[in-house]
Amino acid sequence: MARPEQVLLLEPPQELKFRGPFTDVVTATLKLTNPTDRNVCFKVKTTAPRRYCVRPNSGIIDPGTSINVSVMLQPFDYDPNEKSKHKFMVQSMLAPRDMTDMEGVWKEAKPEELMDSKLRCAFEMPLENDKTTEHSVLAKSASASLDDGEVKKIMEECKQLQMEVQRLREENKQIREDDGLRKRKVPSLGAPHSNTIVTMSRDEGLSTRVLALCVLFFVIGAIIGKLVL
């Protein structure tokens, strides 16, 4: 006698995909749905029990509900030239209305009461383009994570920086004007003293410009650091 057709709905229906790298545990999810008006017992079996951890690997699904089964592939040395031969089988049966012991029910079940579905396994490694795209998405997500308060704070810092630069420019301009005024007022006999004053004024102007650049680089670095983090 042929076995009855599987009453559970499987998602995915035919293939479990595991996406590398496989240096750590990789998990695939199998969703089991019971569309009937009866309780359904299920078991999940595999041809490679040492390579996988399945939780839950058995249980009862109430009518009209679903359950997610986590299939965890253990770390291994991936060989792209080796095709996976691993398979899974979801076995099910309608639960007896007077069921008290699920293990006993499985032992006493008749072959014509059992239903099963088979799934193959597929291993995939992410492409280099996928890695680049993933990094780009993470970077955009980090930038988008800044809330309105942080953006406002950064804008205020930029505004203060612009005001500071403008103030330094005005001070530098005033120094140059004072420098020219001293050169006109100092007599020719005091030329050495005048040269000293001029040199000091130029040094002050240069120091001011260096300070402005330092402040500019520091604030810009702080802003970029916040956007990256």
Side-chain angles (χ1 to χ4, degrees):
M1 182 177 178
R3 289 190 176 187
E5 185 177 353
Q6 176 69 269
V7 296
L8 295 178
L9 301 178
L10 279 63
E11 185 180 345
Q14 297 178 337
E15 185 177 73
L16 286 173
K17 292 185 178 181
F18 297 88
R19 190 173 179 83
F22 300 101
T23 55
D24 201 354
V25 174
V26 179
T27 302
T29 300
L30 174 63
K31 183 179 181 181
L32 304 178
T33 301
N34 177 11
T36 71
D37 58 356
R38 295 273 302 276
N39 288 339
V40 176
C41 302
F42 76 92
K43 279 186 176 182
V44 181
K45 300 180 178 181
T46 178
T47 57
R50 295 184 179 181
R51 299 287 297 276
Y52 298 90
C53 181
V54 182
R55 292 291 183 274
N57 58 4
S58 63
I60 300 176
I61 306 178
D62 295 332
T65 63
S66 301
I67 187 171
N68 288 328
V69 177
S70 296
V71 182
M72 292 162 277
L73 172 63
Q74 304 305 302
F76 71 103
D77 294 329
Y78 175 69
D79 183 358
N81 298 320
E82 182 181 352
K83 188 175 181 180
S84 172
K85 297 180 181 179
H86 302 168
K87 293 181 180 179
F88 277 82
M89 181 175 70
V90 177
Q91 198 170 47
S92 65
M93 64 177 294
L94 295 175
R97 300 186 186 279
D98 57 349
M99 183 185 70
T100 57
D101 179 16
M102 188 170 64
E103 286 301 322
V105 169
W106 283 108
K107 291 179 181 179
E108 298 174 2
K110 299 176 181 180
E112 60 268 19
E113 295 176 339
L114 300 178
M115 299 166 282
D116 59 61
S117 299
K118 295 181 180 179
L119 300 93
R120 60 182 178 270
C121 298
F123 302 151
E124 297 178 348
M125 285 294 289
L127 301 175
E128 291 298 328
N129 290 340
D130 294 342
K131 293 180 181 179
T132 303
T133 302
E134 183 178 355
H135 292 162
S136 177
V137 170
L138 290 175
K140 290 181 180 179
S141 299
S143 298
S145 63
L146 291 175
D147 56 26
D148 293 340
E150 291 175 328
V151 173
K152 185 177 180 180
K153 184 178 179 180
I154 292 174
M155 295 299 293
E156 288 293 333
E157 291 178 354
C158 289
K159 185 176 180 180
Q160 293 177 4
L161 174 62
Q162 292 175 349
M163 295 174 61
E164 181 67 16
V165 171
Q166 182 62 29
R167 185 183 66 79
L168 293 174
R169 286 178 179 174
E170 292 177 355
E171 290 182 359
N172 195 28
K173 181 179 178 181
Q174 185 63 40
I175 290 174
R176 289 198 299 268
E177 292 177 353
D178 293 344
D179 185 16
L181 183 61
R182 290 192 190 98
K183 290 172 65 178
R184 289 194 297 270
K185 289 184 176 181
V186 175
S188 57
L189 292 177
H193 181 66
S194 176
N195 290 338
T196 302
I197 295 176
V198 172
T199 302
M200 291 177 61
S201 299
R202 290 177 179 174
D203 290 342
E204 291 176 355
L206 180 60
S207 299
T208 303
R209 288 192 293 272
V210 171
L211 176 61
L213 289 175
C214 291
V215 173
L216 177 62
F217 290 147
F218 175 77
V219 176
I220 290 177
I223 294 173
I224 294 176
K226 289 182 178 180
L227 290 176
V228 171
L229 296 175

